[in-house]
Amino acid sequence: MKISLNWLNDYIDLKDISIDEIVERLTLAGLEVEEIIDQSKNFQNIVVGYVKEKRKHPNADKLSVCIVSDGTREYNVVCGAPNVQEGQKVPFAKVGAKIPFNGLKLEKTKIRGELSEGMICSEKELGISENHDGIMVLNSELKEGTPLADALGMNDIILDIAITPNRADALSHIGIARDLSAIFDRPVKLPEVRLKESNFKSEEIASVEIVDVVNCPRYIGKVVLNVEIKESPEWLKNRLKSVGLRPINNVVDVTNYVLYEIGQPLHAFDLDNLSERKIIVKCASDGEKFVTLDSKERELTSKDLMICDAHKPVAIAGIMGGENSEVTSSTKNILIESAFFNPSSIRKTAKRLGLQTDASYRFERGTDYDITVWAARRAAQLIYEIAGGEVAKSEIDVYPAPFPKKSVELRYSRIKKILGYEIPEEKVKKIFINLGFEIKKEDDTKISLIIPSYRHDIDREIDLIEEVARIYGYDKIPEVDKISVTLEEKIDQTYFNDEVRNILISLGFFEIVTNSLLREDIAKRFGKPISVLNPQSIEMTHLRPSLLPGMLQAVLNNLKVNEKNLKLFEIGKVFERKHDNEIKSFDDFYEKESLIIAITGNAVEREWYEKDRQYDIYDLKGYVQSFLLKLLSLSNIEIKKVTDTNEFDLAIQLKYNETILGQGGIIKNELLKLFDIDQNVLAFIFDLDLIKSIQIPKKEFKELLKYPKVYRDFAFIFDETVEAESVIEIIKKSSSKLLHHIKLFDIFQSESLGKGKKSLAFQLEYYDENRTLTEEEVDKDFWNAIKTVEEKFNAKLRGI
């Protein structure tokens, strides 16, 4: 957003304040000044010159030799422009000046044998316009020697300010002036609108109907008849040029001037091109075509708000007018539009059409619905002054459901509690009055403020406190040498996530961060995704229901650069519908934090002393166990094989006290093909929210075992379908408390065992913490386990 300092001074007196202080205070108040452009520096050493004499160049037919005066001395200048004449006042660049158009530094030189001590410039060479037909001829009343910047009114300083999306009120000179008024405690001087109106009324000449009152809550129409369309006066053109706008004609220039003055977009229609002189605000039809002012045909949908006359559309509401109603040199009668449009509607249409204008930029952020009448009257006043005509009395104001005034209460004690220092109550009130807030009521402890209609971003007490802080000065917040903060271990989310990262990094994993938005077909493959109302592209239409697709894309990106051995992890939020119905409330979907780890490639690289080995399910299981043991010191976790998962062929599930904390395994080939991955990838997905909720057992010292352990081994022949885990479960259930650990130490298959058979060998560990076990009690427990296994699985004991 470009702001002219000269223009700004029309509304607030800043002449005695340095530009550096203005820039610093604006930036501290949240309006960051990104660039300062001093126009006068473009015209250094360029002055108003007077052509005293012109003669033909003796050695060139198309060149002239001029004598140019700057009021103190005369210069010999060779000029090639056909329109240079004696007696003219011209822009004269002296030796040492830099030409704005190309940065060329002028030197004293000879051209075809004649001395040239400078240059007479065209508008293009000065960077003023594209006109290069001849030199620029200045007003003859200008005094020679006057700096050109002063003569052209281009001695301005332009501030390029970054406006945050919530500060739509600052997208104008008066909006910036309001903040400066509060910062420097100086009054804002709004232009006085005094109209010389005719006897006829706007509503007698034109009419307005709003069909879609949701997307257009208010529409103002103001009629001006018998105007003369011509070039704008220099002061108006200079104002527009200073903020980067191209002057068009006096009526259009006025609408742009008011836009940058107060922030209200306006549009001027040729009233005679409006059928029945009627305006209807309604949505377009699907597939409807419309040609905008840039001569491009746009295809519309039923969600696009349009400004129509009695028979046809004439503008895309809040974005751009149409060729069929634009103001041209033949226009005599105009209708000024000043409206308030629903920001969401304008944003969606502008986004879909890829068409952003100065008007849409403001409408989609929220304009001031109360300033619409003032803006229309201000435009009518300026049009009357520079284009003549007759201004209709009153305005057509269609406002079916006026917005209620909003008020918010502010407690003085709350300001001190939030900011950490006390601000005088009178200073607080002065800040809000200068910002345009109205005091509704007050007492010794609090103040109730009516929020101005241009501050859509103010809803709560904390918003008011932020206003006080940014105007009074964030730099006034006192420095504190020491702040004591107590955090409960493992409860603070940031601390917990940092612990997760540190543990995984210690296990050799690298963190990745992927996009939380996915393409629709990918998102639906991994769950019930939630669609985004206003997606940036077709690749980012749905929120991710799983971290797995992002991980697979990261694996692919690494494989493409020949990084094939990977250990990666990501912490992130996932989002999923609870059912297939439309989302109407927060109860219809869930959001949770997940952790995914993935391994692929070789676990061991080939060396002279060992062969290479690819990662397998046991590596994944080991990393899961190590991670949880380091994070929560949990030993009684279960990792079991599961079937029937959408993502994994050989899947394992993590359980703690019957709560499923996550699952993973070898990713299905069909998913790997979806991402063009040609090697096995193993992954495990943890539910971090559930893991955080686990009550960590208090660590206690346990005395070392004083009594010996007793070990027993046995092996059984089972059907090959029997899993070791089910055998271990049966042994545990049939044994006494003396059995503390069961270990599978051998799996053997051979034709000698029989077809469809396998041998599983187990080691059982017995002990008692308070005494030495006897052979009899261990044997009793051990043989009972053997008997149970034989009966339960029809197994055959191989040996002891």
Side-chain angles (χ1 to χ4, degrees), residues 738-757:
L738 299 178
L739 178 65
H740 287 273
H741 185 64
I742 305 170
K743 177 183 177 183
L744 173 70
F745 67 86
D746 184 55
I747 301 175
F748 174 71
Q749 279 186 290
S750 171
E751 290 182 1
S752 63
L753 298 176
K755 188 177 181 181
K757 299 293 184 178

Side-chain angles (χ1 to χ4, degrees), residues 592-686:
K592 67 179 181 181
E593 191 165 38
S594 289
L595 163 68
I596 184 171
I597 64 172
I599 52 178
T600 184
N602 287 334
V604 177
E605 289 282 17
R606 184 171 60 183
E607 297 287 351
W608 64 268
Y609 52 83
E610 65 180 333
K611 295 181 180 180
D612 56 8
R613 180 181 69 81
Q614 291 190 343
Y615 284 115
D616 57 28
I617 193 70
Y618 300 105
D619 291 303
L620 183 65
K621 180 180 177 182
Y623 284 128
V624 171
Q625 288 175 319
S626 297
F627 166 68
L628 278 181
L629 189 61
K630 286 174 176 284
L631 182 68
L632 301 175
S633 302
L634 296 179
S635 57
N636 54 336
I637 57 173
E638 296 180 76
I639 299 180
K640 291 188 176 182
K641 181 181 175 182
V642 292
T643 57
D644 193 26
T645 68
N646 293 325
E647 294 88 8
F648 306 107
D649 275 333
L650 180 55
I652 55 176
Q653 192 176 78
L654 174 67
K655 292 178 74 175
Y656 175 72
N657 290 343
E658 300 305 316
T659 301
I660 298 173
L661 301 180
Q663 71 175 18
I666 301 173
I667 298 175
K668 288 179 180 288
N669 279 330
E670 61 191 81
L671 291 182
L672 297 179
K673 288 179 181 178
L674 191 63
F675 288 86
D676 295 325
I677 296 173
D678 57 2
Q679 68 182 46
N680 275 351
V681 179
L682 299 96
F684 198 93
I685 302 171
F686 298 87

Side-chain angles (χ1 to χ4, degrees), residues 301-528:
T301 73
S302 59
K303 294 182 179 179
D304 297 327
L305 189 67
M306 301 295 292
I307 310 299
C308 307
D309 62 17
H311 301 123
K312 64 184 182 298
V314 292
I316 302 176
I319 300 175
M320 186 177 283
E323 282 190 334
N324 56 6
S325 62
E326 69 176 313
V327 173
T328 65
S329 57
S330 61
T331 297
K332 291 297 180 185
N333 305 312
I334 62 171
L335 175 72
I336 302 168
E337 169 194 278
S338 179
F340 177 82
F341 297 113
N342 186 322
S344 176
S345 170
I346 303 302
R347 188 183 307 116
K348 289 175 183 176
T349 298
K351 183 76 174 177
R352 190 185 62 77
L353 295 176
L355 184 62
Q356 187 179 79
T357 60
D358 277 342
S360 69
Y361 184 77
R362 287 159 177 80
F363 276 129
E364 65 187 35
R365 282 159 176 77
T367 55
D368 179 4
Y369 45 80
D370 275 352
I371 204 66
T372 47
V373 173
W374 187 93
R377 291 176 63 81
R378 172 70 167 154
Q381 175 193 35
L382 293 172
I383 289 171
Y384 174 77
E385 290 174 358
I386 64 176
E390 302 171 83
V391 180
K393 187 185 296 183
S394 72
E395 297 79 37
I396 307 167
D397 185 358
V398 182
Y399 195 13
F403 289 100
K405 288 190 177 295
K406 182 170 57 176
S407 64
V408 178
E409 190 174 85
L410 173 63
R411 295 163 290 174
Y412 296 122
S413 60
R414 193 67 178 165
I415 298 175
K416 183 177 180 181
K417 184 173 183 179
I418 295 295
L419 301 183
Y421 63 99
E422 195 165 348
I423 301 175
E425 294 174 11
E426 289 304 314
K427 181 64 179 177
V428 171
K429 287 189 283 187
K430 191 69 173 176
I431 286 172
F432 285 114
I433 289 170
N434 286 336
L435 287 174
F437 291 71
E438 182 183 339
I439 298 175
K440 183 179 181 181
K441 60 182 179 179
E442 60 177 308
D443 58 34
D444 293 338
T445 60
K446 59 185 180 297
I447 183 173
S448 180
L449 296 164
I450 296 176
I451 310 303
S453 51
Y454 47 79
R455 291 305 301 269
H456 307 288
D457 57 317
I458 305 293
D459 288 307
R460 302 169 299 160
E461 183 181 43
I462 194 68
D463 298 328
L464 296 176
I465 294 173
E466 182 183 358
E467 290 299 292
V468 174
R470 72 180 188 86
I471 297 299
Y472 191 68
Y474 289 117
D475 56 320
K476 291 186 175 67
I477 295 176
E479 293 184 9
V480 180
D481 294 332
K482 184 178 180 181
I483 300 177
S484 297
V485 179
T486 301
L487 297 175
E488 291 186 27
E489 189 176 10
K490 304 290 185 180
I491 298 300
D492 180 80
Q493 181 170 328
T494 302
Y495 175 83
F496 188 93
N497 287 355
D498 285 344
E499 277 292 288
V500 169
R501 290 186 177 93
N502 290 337
I503 291 168
L504 288 171
I505 290 169
S506 73
L507 292 172
F509 286 81
F510 291 88
E511 184 175 13
I512 64 169
V513 179
T514 63
N515 200 329
S516 59
L517 295 171
L518 299 172
R519 201 171 69 228
E520 182 177 8
D521 59 324
I522 295 291
K524 286 184 175 179
R525 177 61 183 80
F526 292 88
K528 296 178 180 178

Side-chain angles (χ1 to χ4, degrees), residues 91-229:
F92 174 52
K94 299 182 182 181
V95 172
K98 283 188 177 180
I99 303 303
F101 172 67
N102 54 18
L104 176 67
K105 187 175 182 179
L106 294 182
E107 297 178 356
K108 188 184 293 186
T109 186
K110 282 193 174 183
I111 300 176
R112 295 289 185 92
E114 290 290 322
L115 179 67
S116 185
E117 301 176 283
M119 179 178 178
I120 304 174
C121 302
S122 68
E123 288 187 12
K124 184 174 182 178
E125 289 160 341
L126 294 170
I128 294 174
S129 75
E130 292 299 312
N131 185 2
H132 195 49
D133 294 337
I135 61 164
M136 182 180 185
V137 180
L138 302 175
N139 190 323
S140 59
E141 295 181 3
L142 291 172
K143 184 179 179 181
E144 55 205 76
T146 303
L148 186 66
D150 294 340
L152 297 179
M154 300 187 73
N155 53 357
D156 202 353
I157 293 177
I158 309 301
L159 306 180
D160 196 349
I161 302 176
I163 307 296
T164 53
N166 65 310
R167 291 298 310 279
D169 65 293
L171 290 169
S172 67
H173 284 76
I174 289 176
I176 297 296
R178 272 193 297 257
D179 268 27
L180 289 170
S181 169
I183 290 169
F184 294 112
D185 193 15
R186 298 191 175 194
V188 172
K189 302 170 292 184
L190 292 179
E192 187 178 359
V193 179
R194 287 186 177 180
L195 284 174
K196 183 179 179 182
E197 295 178 321
S198 302
N199 292 327
F200 56 86
K201 296 181 178 180
S202 292
E203 55 264 35
E204 295 172 349
I205 300 170
S207 62
V208 173
E209 177 188 354
I210 302 177
V211 175
D212 189 344
V213 295
V214 173
N215 290 320
C216 180
R218 190 176 194 182
Y219 193 99
I220 308 295
K222 182 79 171 174
V223 173
V224 183
L225 303 179
N226 300 317
V227 298
E228 181 186 357
I229 306 299

